[in-house]
């Protein structure tokens, strides 16, 4: 190889490395650019009384959504583009965007960047050095017919888990459009390769009262099995270290739930 060819090859390789590193930096910068937990919901003013109705709609999801208050009542009345800023659980931001977009009351939903103007109190949303902040929790969907399975969800969840952890399914929180179940003291349910104590939380959300579909948030935590009884157990979120396992588990769970609904 001539000196000229070596020169070109070396500089092309160097340029490729620099470009790759820049690409990684840009990807990282984009991922860091959003405020954890915070969403901007634009109201669809083409729907009658949407700006009055949207608060009642958001309240139907219970404590899973916190609406930031504003001076106007109803919020956004004097604004040319009525909107709400809401807080959701970290890791569920993109899932909520998908869900809320399906409501006729909502024009659009987007994440807020750190450079955007924020309401007082928004700073408390930012999580410093949270290794899990960029990992989204799995959202899965469940189709059903004309009869919604919402009222029979507890029986459905118990049918799947009750035999695995000895009467350990609990309904933690229920509202008209959402239910959250906790399943505790599981072992090698999600993380097969380790002997952990595992707790799961399944949150079922009705995407819209007129749409026969449920969205389900799958979250979990794990801890080492305590060597002695009475020793405090320190749990960590699965989505941080075991994100791929949690995602794979959620996919399998969706099939199990869908089969259960289809078979009655």
């Amino acid at each position: 190889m001539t000196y000229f060819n070596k020169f070109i090859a070396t500089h092309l390789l160097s340029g490729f490395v620099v470009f790759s590193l820049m690409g990684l930096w840009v990807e990282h910068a984009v991922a860091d650019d959003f405020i954890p937990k915070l969403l901007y919901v634009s109201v669809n003013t083409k729907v009658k009384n949407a700006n009055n109705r949207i608060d009642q709609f958001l309240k139907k999801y219970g404590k899973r959504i916190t609406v930031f208050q504003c001076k106007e009542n109803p919020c956004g009345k004097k604004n040319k583009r009525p909107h709400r800023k809401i807080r959701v659980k970290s890791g569920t931001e993109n899932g909520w965007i998908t869900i809320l977009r399906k409501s006729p009351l909502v024009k659009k939903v987007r994440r807020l960047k750190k450079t955007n103007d924020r309401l007082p109190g928004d700073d408390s949303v930012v999580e410093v050095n949270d290794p899990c902040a960029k990992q989204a929790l799995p959202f899965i969907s469940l189709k059903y017919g004309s009869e919604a399975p919402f009222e029979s969800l507890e029986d459905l969840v118990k049918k799947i888990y009750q035999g695995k952890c000895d009467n350990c399914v609990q309904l933690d929180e229920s509202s008209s459009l959402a239910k959250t179940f906790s399943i505790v003291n599981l072992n090698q349910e999600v993380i097969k390769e380790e002997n952990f104590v595992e707790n799961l939380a399944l949150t079922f959300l009705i995407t819209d009262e007129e749409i026969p579909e449920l969205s389900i948030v799958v979250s979990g935590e794990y801890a080492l099995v305590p060597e002695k009884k009475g020793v405090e157990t320190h749990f960590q979120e699965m989505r941080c270290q075991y994100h791929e396992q949690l995602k794979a588990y959620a996919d399998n769970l969706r099939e199990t739930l869908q089969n259960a609904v289809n078979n009655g």
Side-chain angles (χ1 to χ4, degrees), residues 92-147:
T92 66
E93 297 93 345
N94 292 335
W96 277 110
I97 289 174
T98 301
I99 290 172
L100 295 176
R101 276 177 177 169
K102 296 181 180 182
S103 170
L105 300 174
V106 175
K107 182 178 181 180
K108 62 181 178 180
V109 189
R110 62 180 172 85
R111 298 193 67 175
L112 286 172
K113 296 183 178 182
K114 293 180 180 179
T115 54
N116 292 143
D117 292 333
R118 287 177 273 162
L119 294 174
D122 285 5
D123 289 338
S124 62
V125 178
V126 179
E127 297 177 8
V128 180
N129 297 326
D130 179 9
C132 300
K134 304 177 195 67
Q135 296 286 15
L137 287 169
F139 263 68
I140 56 178
S141 61
L142 186 65
K143 307 284 186 180
Y144 55 88
S146 57
E147 294 184 4

Side-chain angles (χ1 to χ4, degrees), residues 53-65 150 174-179 205 209:
R53 294 165 55 194
I54 195 166
D55 291 313
Q56 293 302 317
F57 168 67
L58 295 174
K59 285 180 181 178
K60 291 181 180 181
Y61 286 111
K63 296 178 180 179
R64 300 161 191 89
I65 291 179
F150 198 62
S174 180
S175 56
S176 58
L177 290 183
K179 289 185 178 182
L205 307 164
E209 293 166 315

